[in-house]
Structures are given as C-alpha cells and as structure tokens.
Amino acid sequence: MNFDFDNVIDRRGTAATKWDKYAGRDVIPMWVADMDFRSAPAIIEALKQRVEHGVFGYTDPPPELNEVVIDALARDYGWSIRPEWLMWLPGLVTGINLVARAIGEDGDDVVTAVPVYHPFLSGPAYQRRTVTRVPMHLQGTQWTWDLERLEAAITPRTRLLLLCNPHNPVGRVFSRGELNALARIAEQHNLIVASDEIHCGLILDREKFHIPIATLGADIAARTITLMSASKTFNLPGLGCAFAVVPNDELRARLARSAAGIVPRVSAMGFTATLAAYRDGEQWRRALVDYLRVNRDLVIERISAIDGWTLTPVEATYLAWICFDSRLREPAEFFERAGVGLYDGRVFGAEGYVRLNFGCPRALLEQALDRISSALIKPLATCGRA
Ligand SMILES: Cc1ncc(COP(=O)(O)O)c(C=O)c1O
C-alpha cells in the first residue's frame, strides 16, 4: 500500500500549536515535535467509527488494547509483560511528572543527562525535586552518557535517574553496552530509572534497534518505569494517550497514589487511536520511517555543507541536533526572521545548538533548508548577532 507523505496539508486554522506560534507570518515551523503528516489511514478510520457511535462516556482501557500492546512489545523487543504492569496515562509528560512526584521526598535529587527533552528538567522541579544535569559526552561523532560524571553527580539524596532512549534531541539509540552500564550504576546506587521511550518506533538507522532498558535483567526491570506512547510515531500527540510499564508492584502502587485525583483518564479518542496504531499501523509506520530516513539524509547533506555547521548522526527520531556557527547569538530569532522556526538548544540545556524537526513533506523541508542556507550567505553581522 502506498501512503502519501508528500502531500502538504494546510494546518493553519486548526489551532495547531506548531503552526499558530507563527500565525500571520511566513515562517515554516520546525520547532515542537509533531509531524505535518496525516496519521495512518487505519487510525483515521477507527476514529471515524468511534465518532459515528456518538456516545462519549467515561472510558476504560479496552481489553484488546492491553493485548495488542503486550503483543507489540513481545514482537518488537522480545519483552514479555503482564497486563497489570500497564498504567494508562493522558500523556507522557504527565508520566515524567508523576514519577518525579512518586519517587523520593521533597528536595531529593533527580539525575539526567543534558541536552534533554525539556520536561525532564522542568518536571522534577515542579514536583519539588532538584535536577542534577550531567553533560553528555561527544565521543567521536556520537553523543553518549558520561558515566564518570554521572557517578560523581550522584548524591545520597539521588533517588531517580531519567533516561531518554531513543534520545531527544541528540537522536541516539543507546546500545546494549551503554544501557547495561547505566543499569549497573542504577543498581549500585539504588536508583529508580524512568525510561522515556516515546521515540522507539522511529529508528532510522537500519543497523540499530531499540532495547527497552527494563529488558536487560530482573533487577533493572524491578527498578524501571518505562514510558511509551504511540503519539510520536503515529502523529497523535493531540489525542493524549501514553502508558507506563511498571513490573514492580510497589512502584506501581506509589505511582497510582501520586496520580489519584489529579491525573485524568485517557479520552475515548486516545484509546481508539492507540489501539488502531498498535494493531493496524505497522505498514504505515514502516513507510513513514523510510520517508523520514530520506528527509534525514537531506538534512545531513544540506546542513553539513554549511561552513561552521555540524550535526551528529540522527539514528532515530525526526529531530536533528545541529551545532551552529558560534558567532550566531540568537539562532531562533535569526532563523525566524529568515522564515524558519527552530528550537534554541538552550531549551534542552545546551548552548550553541538548534533542533530542527524534519517530520514534514519533503517540499516543505527543502524550502526550509533553502531559507536556512540563503540566510547564512548574508554576513552574520547584519542578521541580529550581538
Ligand atoms: C522524549 C519525549 N517525551 C515526551 C514527549 C511528549 O509526550 P506527551 O505529548 O505524551 O506528553 C515528547 C514530545 O516531544 C518527547 O520528545
């Protein structure tokens, strides 16, 4: 079956967060992480049928949904989980906050590596935890955890390690060796691990594969809360549905207590879309990954050709983490003026980078890359540099 990822869909006037930021301006938005593609036809069809039913009462996780997720985790990662380990959530950021709230006490430390998806930094702070940021280490062309600095950063009050794998924004798919090393450190220091694996369906490198850290052994499984969702892969973030896999009964109970009365149920639409995604979406997902791989290669080719700009391999996700010419002081503003909306790396805890979302039709991506290149042909001094 052919899927049309080239179709440019006008999202203006749909209250789209990504596009409305620049309403009335000629700026191609490549900042927040959603894609400009229609979701899989099977998902759209399932949603239509659900809408046709017309009754939208309180909804429980459909039993078939648990079965489909259990099958998908077994098929994709050889991970055998029990239905009671699943906890459904209205979003993955809710999960990050919930874990931070449930683990440890006020003032305890949460450790993570930067750059990282920004709610890893804000979430624990909202929950009155202190975030310790360990800078990631660039080994050749590969970003990786700096294990020595991680160990040095762990204090007697560190209770929780936040892992993002595949990693937003650096695009890494961590290897078994890297994950084993993190698991060992978590075990030695008695840390709970929250592993955000929302991008696991978006592995672009053919020789890489996703390994949930919880599959590495019984000890790490018992201390890990794995957070997943169909929302990135199938472009459903506006429908709000995610899940945690928590094999440890006591941890699950703690999460449930922290959620009580605060975290709302998942919507009927969120469940319907997620069920259709895991049950019927695989062909579409594979076609999407093929399309994104070509987009990624285009980004690498065009960005690497710019003097002073570099980017590391994007093994997964539709996000490129780009190191730019250090003379550019306010990159987001500079490129907005040039007609492209990028995220400033400082949002993710690192200076000197921008993040570019290439989850869009190729024609739009080409236009944005043209705008970036031509903006840089002008002397930087005339373009808003300090
Ligand atoms: C690593 C990561 N986790 C979580 C999210 C957001 O999840 P949700 O929309 O379900 O809260 C994103 C969105 O970009 C992400 O990149």
Side-chain angles (χ1 to χ4, degrees), residues 33 91-93 117 164 168 196 198-199 231-232:
L92 204 135
V93 171
Y117 179 56
C164 189
N168 170 10
D196 176 340
I198 196 170
H199 292 279
S231 75
K232 289 291 135 184

Side-chain angles (χ1 to χ4, degrees), residues 39-106:
S39 191
I43 297 175
I44 296 170
E45 192 45 45
L47 287 168
K48 278 184 189 163
Q49 281 181 23
R50 185 64 190 82
V51 168
E52 266 313 306
H53 184 264
V55 182
F56 305 112
Y58 296 118
T59 308
D60 294 325
E64 191 191 353
L65 175 58
N66 286 346
E67 286 164 24
V68 162
V69 167
I70 289 167
D71 288 350
L73 296 181
R75 177 197 66 204
D76 296 340
Y77 314 118
W79 190 13
S80 174
I81 70 157
R82 302 211 190 107
E84 62 271 21
W85 296 357
L86 286 168
M87 186 173 175
W88 289 94
L89 298 165
L92 204 135
V93 171
T94 302
I96 295 168
N97 278 268
L98 202 56
V99 173
R101 172 188 285 246
I103 308 302
E105 310 292 331
D106 285 7

Side-chain angles (χ1 to χ4, degrees), residues 132-338:
T132 307
R133 304 172 177 209
V134 179
M136 288 184 99
H137 170 61
L138 189 59
Q139 208 164 39
T141 59
Q142 218 174 41
W143 289 102
T144 186
W145 278 71
D146 185 330
L147 300 177
E148 269 177 36
R149 286 177 88 162
L150 171 62
E151 293 232 62
I154 294 170
T155 72
R157 293 203 68 174
T158 309
R159 302 272 178 271
L160 177 63
L161 183 149
L162 293 180
L163 169 66
C164 189
N165 179 38
H167 192 276
N168 170 10
V170 304
R172 280 298 317 285
V173 178
F174 294 114
S175 68
R176 186 174 294 278
E178 287 171 294
L179 293 172
N180 266 323
L182 288 174
R184 250 196 324 274
I185 290 174
E187 288 162 12
Q188 274 160 9
H189 295 272
N190 197 22
L191 306 180
I192 301 298
V193 176
S195 185
D196 176 340
E197 304 185 6
I198 196 170
H199 292 279
C200 63
L202 296 168
I203 311 290
L204 306 183
D205 268 19
R206 291 181 203 278
E207 66 278 13
K208 302 269 168 178
F209 49 92
H210 177 68
I211 303 170
I213 192 168
T215 61
L216 294 179
D219 186 312
I220 188 68
R223 61 177 68 251
T224 297
I225 297 156
T226 304
L227 297 162
M228 289 183 166
S229 168
S231 75
K232 289 291 135 184
T233 307
F234 295 94
N235 209 24
L236 307 167
L239 294 181
C241 183
F243 60 92
V245 184
V246 195
N248 180 320
D249 297 342
E250 200 242 313
L251 269 184
R252 223 166 42 244
R254 260 151 79 183
L255 288 172
R257 274 198 301 277
S258 295
I262 299 175
V263 177
R265 291 159 177 267
V266 174
S267 75
M269 292 303 159
F271 281 138
T272 299
T274 303
L275 172 56
Y278 285 112
R279 189 187 54 200
D280 308 319
E282 184 57 13
Q283 236 189 332
W284 185 90
R285 187 193 68 82
R286 286 178 189 219
L288 169 77
V289 167
D290 286 344
Y291 192 89
L292 290 176
R293 195 179 290 122
V294 180
N295 275 9
R296 173 201 62 181
D297 293 347
L298 183 66
V299 171
I300 291 175
E301 182 196 317
R302 297 285 304 273
I303 296 290
S304 322
I306 302 172
D307 207 22
W309 284 45
T310 50
L311 78 176
T312 40
V314 186
E315 299 169 349
T317 78
Y318 46 79
L319 308 165
W321 183 242
I322 300 168
C323 180
F324 58 81
D325 188 320
S326 57
R327 288 171 301 158
L328 201 59
R329 293 276 179 264
E330 293 298 334
E333 284 172 29
F334 172 76
F335 287 109
E336 278 167 14
R337 278 196 294 275

